[in-house]
Amino acid sequence: MTSKKAKAGHNESRSYEQNDLFENHGQRKKLMTGLAAIPSPAASEVIKREDIRVNYWPLIGVAVVIVGFALKRNPVLVVIAAGVASALAAGMGFDDLLALIGDSFVSNRALLLFVLTLPAIGLLERYGLRERAQAWIASFRKLSLARLLIAYLGARQLLSMLGLFDLAGHAQTVRPLIAPMSEAAAKNDGIELDADERERVHALAAATDNVGRFFGEDVFLAFGAVLLIQGFYARNGIQLDPLAIALWALPTAIAAFVIHALRICWVQRTLVDRQRRKNPSHDSRDRRGSQNQPTRGDAA
Amino acid sequence: MIKLQYVYWLIGAFLALCAIYNLRERRWSMGAFWAVLACAFVFGDAIQAASVAHTRWPAQLMGVGVIALGLLAASGTMQKQGSTETERRDSATRLGNKLFLPALTIPFATIVFVLALPHIPWHGSPLVEPAQATLVSLALACVIAAAAALRTTRAPASQALAEGRRLLDTLGCVALLPMVLATLGSVFAATGVGDAVASIVGMFIPTDSALACLLAFAFGMVLFAMIMGNAFAAFPVMMAGIGLPLLIHKHGAAPAVLGSLGMLTGYCGTLLTPMAANFNIVPAVLLELRDQYAVIRAQTPTALVLLVVNVILMAVLIFR
């Protein structure tokens, strides 16, 4: 029954932790260690596609998602409607459909773990964490937006390569620390952010976190992706060392760092240029000191 | 022994509390939303155990609950509340860098626990199962960070919960998006959406050209990662459809390079899609951006350039 095959790794981040969820299903075989309990992927590799007539109707679920997102309907409702549509189109009965949705929903509940960070972060924010982060960055007069974000990108990639990808994240570090720090660092460059530009800087901070994480984690040996690849080949008669797979992620990791770092520099330059156009009489670099009196002299 | 189940119960308790706060303020749909979600965490293990034992009604009931969550999400109205800026600035000056310590507790305590807990024996077995170590450690670190934050700010414990609830309400139904998307991924897999996509891609490529196969594979990985919201789901489908039979067996591609770079090509797709909600949509809401797709927009140039670089890398490296 393919319906029992709730798959692994519904997203890059959780798959490594998600493995343990499948232990609850009992029948899952463990591959190497506890880290490696990747369940078998989609049924397509088991059943030869030529043998069965492919049913195209379930694609209607994909259409529902695209149309729903394009029309900006409530995303949760769109996604659930897509699941129901796809299951009905595949000829599934309503009782099977409800059981499938309920089971999959419960097995993916690890994805909501981040809510446990909210009480601590919420309280600290109420007492001025973001304001403090801004003031602290403002005290490093030479720390520009580009330097801050590129340093974060590099650190995030290196830590992910060591398997420490939960050290940072949108709830843990980006909202409370990196986003307000980016704002302050932009001010160090003499950029006065308007509402649109502030959004752009915040979005760039979140994007930097994603890029750093995605293109670092694949170099980590015990990461789900590496083991998924190795497991796929092993089931198809090709034996590979996980290290060989992980090392081939390095060229892309380096390319990702260079490309995103250049983009960060480019965004900073655009912001500085716009600032010059807004205030043509002032050179942005000169305004820096008078804007933020540093509280301490320990420039980076 | 600390089990993952306890962590889920803790989340369930927090969600139930948020539900009670909202119901007391007569915000019915928001309260009902968190209450239904709390059930998934409080009864999650029982539901899974029942399904393994072929008792289907608990999972079916949960299925009804999920559909109810979708309807509530579409009907609910979101209201925000917050502290004044001067209040926060005053306490920021008063507490200074001491505020950083509890915030940094979450990442660093997580790492210490991940490394230490599986090696601490407890009645003959490890204190935490190695496979559950990351999730349990993150949860423990959050509890410790909350305690540290309370100590630093000298706030009453109820305020931490109230502030946590404020943030959760800010997120609203978007908090649920990663979970329902992962559920959709399971439904798509069970209904054969993957096979249908692979078969369509297979219809259009000239299989004699190695480069055409490679482009179809890369494009398929990106497209599928965008539809499913993650590259993991795309990988086995595209490998079974194009990678293994055509690229490796027919054109002699190097498996290790193809696997690694193919997966990373899929990641470029993940950066481009609202379906990868926890990376692309949740942060936009967390940062209170007006444009839901702002993070995707910020990522798009990087992802597209990297995609081109990746395809070139593959073309150069896999056919040696």
Side-chain angles (χ1 to χ4, degrees):
Chain A
M1 278 292 283
T2 44
S3 64
K4 291 287 172 211
K5 295 201 181 202
K7 301 175 294 78
H10 289 297
N11 64 64
E12 280 80 355
S13 75
R14 292 293 163 214
S15 63
Y16 155 62
E17 301 102 331
Q18 245 182 14
N19 299 329
D20 40 14
L21 299 173
F22 293 95
E23 288 180 330
N24 298 329
H25 285 310
Q27 305 96 330
R28 293 287 165 204
K29 60 171 185 282
K30 283 189 170 187
L31 292 175
M32 290 156 55
T33 60
L35 287 175
I38 302 280
S40 64
S44 51
E45 56 181 286
V46 185
I47 311 159
K48 285 266 175 288
R49 278 194 294 120
E50 295 85 73
D51 301 345
I52 52 164
R53 176 166 291 190
V54 178
N55 178 5
Y56 291 104
W57 283 110
L59 287 175
I60 206 163
V62 178
V64 170
V65 169
I66 293 169
V67 171
F69 277 42
L71 294 179
K72 302 214 166 175
R73 300 279 149 178
N74 182 288
V76 174
L77 188 62
V78 167
V79 169
I80 291 168
V84 172
S86 186
L88 290 178
M92 209 178 259
F94 222 75
D95 50 341
D96 286 336
L97 159 81
L98 287 178
L100 173 64
I101 290 179
D103 260 333
S104 325
F105 187 74
V106 168
S107 19
N108 286 307
R109 64 198 188 285
L111 288 169
L112 215 68
L113 192 79
F114 73 91
V115 305
L116 286 181
T117 63
L118 297 181
I121 298 294
L123 186 66
L124 291 170
E125 283 189 358
R126 167 71 184 71
Y127 282 85
L129 177 64
R130 278 142 72 96
E131 285 74 9
R132 185 59 215 158
Q134 286 179 343
W136 189 64
I137 287 297
S139 72
F140 297 94
R141 292 175 54 191
K142 281 188 181 155
L143 190 63
S144 66
L145 173 65
R147 283 189 202 175
L148 173 77
L149 286 184
I150 292 172
Y152 184 68
L153 175 67
R156 188 82 163 105
Q157 270 193 308
L158 286 176
L159 290 169
S160 298
M161 285 180 196
L162 299 173
L164 306 179
F165 27 78
D166 281 316
L167 199 61
H170 297 291
Q172 300 103 300
T173 47
V174 176
R175 177 180 158 128
L177 299 171
I178 302 301
M181 282 177 174
S182 310
E183 239 178 272
K187 228 177 232 172
N188 280 351
D189 299 330
I191 305 168
E192 292 229 44
L193 299 169
D194 60 31
D196 285 340
E197 290 167 341
R198 179 173 300 114
E199 269 207 35
R200 193 163 169 207
V201 168
H202 281 187
L204 185 68
T208 304
D209 187 80
N210 281 339
V211 172
R213 179 201 181 119
F214 281 21
F215 298 99
E217 64 186 8
D218 249 23
V219 186
F220 178 58
L221 274 186
F223 181 60
V226 176
L227 298 170
L228 179 76
I229 297 167
Q230 195 229 7
F232 176 86
Y233 281 131
R235 277 191 299 281
N236 288 285
I238 300 172
Q239 299 300 329
L240 286 177
D241 182 14
L243 185 64
I245 300 167
L247 282 181
W248 282 112
L250 267 178
T252 309
I254 294 165
F257 178 80
V258 173
I259 292 167
H260 199 67
L262 287 175
R263 277 209 55 230
I264 291 170
C265 292
W266 186 73
V267 170
Q268 162 155 330
R269 255 190 53 192
T270 336
L271 289 174
V272 169
D273 283 352
R274 277 178 67 168
Q275 185 66 31
R276 283 227 183 90
R277 247 175 287 137
K278 270 189 272 178
N279 291 346
S281 56
H282 294 267
D283 182 53
S284 59
R285 293 253 149 205
D286 295 337
R287 292 166 41 115
R288 198 169 59 195
S290 56
Q291 288 247 319
N292 300 299
Q293 279 307 327
T295 50
R296 285 179 295 150
D298 46 355
Chain B
M1 173 162 165
I2 310 172
K3 286 187 199 155
L4 194 52
Q5 202 178 336
Y6 305 152
V7 173
Y8 290 140
W9 285 343
L10 188 65
I11 298 174
F14 176 60
L15 291 172
L17 210 72
C18 293
I20 292 169
Y21 273 122
N22 274 305
L23 291 176
R24 273 206 324 215
E25 291 163 20
R26 298 175 176 279
R27 301 167 62 185
W28 304 114
S29 51
M30 189 80 110
F33 186 82
W34 298 129
V36 174
L37 189 55
C39 292
F41 286 86
V42 175
F43 304 113
D45 284 274
I47 293 171
Q48 283 187 321
S51 288
V52 170
H54 300 292
T55 309
R56 295 177 73 209
W57 65 264
Q60 285 167 340
L61 205 61
M62 194 66 241
V64 174
V66 174
I67 292 172
L69 283 174
L71 296 173
L72 282 169
S75 74
T77 46
M78 308 289 163
Q79 291 152 13
K80 288 177 191 174
Q81 56 224 345
S83 50
T84 65
E85 177 153 350
T86 40
E87 246 177 357
R88 293 200 306 267
R89 207 163 291 257
D90 286 350
S91 90
T93 321
R94 185 163 49 84
L95 295 167
N97 287 345
K98 271 192 277 183
L99 276 170
F100 290 135
L101 207 66
L104 294 173
T105 303
I106 297 180
F108 286 106
T110 307
I111 293 312
V112 172
F113 287 142
V114 167
L115 297 177
L117 289 181
H119 302 293
I120 299 172
W122 185 262
H123 295 297
S125 57
L127 185 60
V128 173
E129 277 288 321
Q132 303 180 346
T134 318
L135 292 177
V136 172
S137 302
L138 182 57
L140 279 177
C142 289
V143 174
I144 291 174
L150 287 172
R151 218 185 113 90
T152 307
T153 58
R154 306 212 178 142
S158 60
Q159 197 179 1
L161 294 171
E163 293 295 334
R165 173 255 168 156
R166 179 180 58 82
L167 277 184
L168 189 65
D169 279 0
T170 308
L171 279 171
C173 66
V174 174
L176 192 68
L177 208 46
M179 255 176 100
V180 287
L181 280 168
T183 305
L184 182 64
S186 307
V187 173
F188 277 179
T191 53
V193 168
D195 298 323
V197 170
S199 131
I200 288 177
V201 173
M203 265 187 251
F204 292 106
I205 50 170
T207 54
D208 284 335
S209 157
L211 193 63
C213 291
L214 180 63
L215 288 177
F217 175 75
F219 182 68
M221 278 298 294
V222 171
L223 185 75
F224 213 81
M226 286 181 72
I227 292 173
M228 304 291 273
N230 75 79
F232 277 50
F235 185 79
V237 175
M238 294 316 295
M239 278 309 270
I242 302 175
L244 201 61
L246 296 177
L247 284 170
I248 293 179
H249 289 151
K250 189 167 175 175
H251 296 293
V257 194
L258 181 69
S260 195
L261 289 176
M263 184 67 92
L264 290 166
T265 306
Y267 279 23
C268 296
T270 312
L271 289 175
L272 296 171
T273 175
M275 297 294 286
N278 51 338
F279 297 116
N280 297 341
I281 302 295
V282 171
V285 178
L286 259 180
L287 293 170
E288 291 165 51
L289 306 182
R290 280 164 300 169
D291 178 8
Q292 240 193 75
Y293 299 132
V295 177
I296 297 179
R297 272 186 235 284
Q299 283 165 178
T300 303
T302 303
L304 292 181
V305 176
L306 192 59
L307 175 62
V308 173
V309 171
N310 230 356
V311 171
I312 294 171
L313 278 175
M314 279 202 280
V316 174
L317 293 172
I318 63 174
F319 302 118
R320 279 173 313 158

